[in-house]
Amino acid sequence: MASKLSVEVAPLEHARVFRGRSLVTDGQKVFEDGPRLAREFGGVRNDISGREMPVVSAVVAHDPAEEGGRFRYFMGDEVCPSASKRLQEGFEDLVLPAGTLTAVVHVSFHLQALAALHVARARRSFYEEWLPGSGYVSAADELGFPDVELYHYRRRRFRRARKMVLDLLFVIRRA
């Protein structure tokens, strides 16, 4: 079956920096730790200095680094590069360096409640269908995480309402 996945490959023109919070969890606890981290981050996100507008939020699950599958789970908002030069107490930065080769997949969904299902399908299609024949391989080992979930809003045409947009940004390199 041919993939319907639309993938845009390009190096990052400039560094992308996300400032937020993280915690260490595992595959069994992530479903209780994730919402806890989201509440904690939601309570402090307006204190982030130098946030880019419109706001782009990132969610990153680092590759398991410890026995037992424990990993770091990060949530943060994009900050302007000049703000990233100043560390902010109580927050940590996640940096995607300029020049990092990325593959971006737009994830479409109509109901926010089904977004996680669509993300899982897009990841599976990327790794099982697109990546093997692309001439690229995952570069997760270079940054410690395979992909970044990017959440942002854009105005709908001819409407006042805004729509949540979700993109998966995969870190790749030539095979």
Side-chain angles (χ1 to χ4, degrees):
M1 179 172 104
S3 175
K4 296 178 188 175
L5 203 63
S6 174
V7 181
E8 298 172 24
V9 175
L12 293 178
E13 292 181 23
H14 55 83
R16 294 192 74 177
V17 181
F18 300 90
R19 181 164 290 157
R21 298 259 175 102
S22 72
L23 53 75
V24 175
T25 188
D26 61 40
Q28 292 181 5
K29 289 181 59 185
V30 71
F31 295 106
E32 67 183 60
D33 288 344
R36 181 170 55 88
L37 178 61
R39 284 189 304 274
E40 177 185 323
F41 177 64
V44 298
R45 76 184 312 172
N46 289 332
D47 298 334
I48 294 174
S49 60
R51 279 197 313 173
E52 289 278 9
M53 293 297 172
V55 174
V56 176
S57 299
V59 176
V60 176
H62 286 70
D63 280 339
E66 304 175 20
E67 292 280 329
R70 295 180 60 75
F71 61 91
R72 189 165 68 103
Y73 193 65
F74 173 88
M75 288 182 186
D77 286 347
E78 191 163 19
V79 296
C80 62
S82 62
S84 70
K85 292 176 175 59
R86 298 180 307 275
L87 292 178
Q88 189 174 353
E89 190 174 334
F91 293 97
E92 60 187 90
D93 289 352
L94 180 129
V95 179
L96 296 170
T100 300
L101 189 58
T102 63
V104 178
V105 175
H106 175 69
V107 180
S108 295
F109 59 94
H110 297 289
L111 296 172
Q112 194 166 344
L114 298 177
L117 175 65
H118 291 280
V119 167
R121 284 182 182 159
R123 278 191 178 111
R124 186 179 69 235
S125 293
F126 179 82
Y127 286 113
E128 293 178 2
E129 298 172 23
W130 186 85
L131 194 59
S134 69
Y136 298 97
V137 294
S138 173
D141 56 331
E142 293 177 14
L143 295 177
F145 51 87
D147 61 63
V148 179
E149 295 174 21
L150 297 174
Y151 296 87
H152 50 101
Y153 290 88
R154 71 170 170 231
R155 287 207 174 281
R156 293 180 174 182
R157 271 183 213 226
F158 309 114
R159 295 186 190 171
R160 293 180 187 208
R162 297 184 325 155
K163 175 183 179 182
M164 181 188 289
V165 177
L166 170 56
D167 295 317
L168 286 175
L169 187 145
F170 296 90
V171 181
I172 59 174
R173 67 174 172 258
R174 293 207 179 273

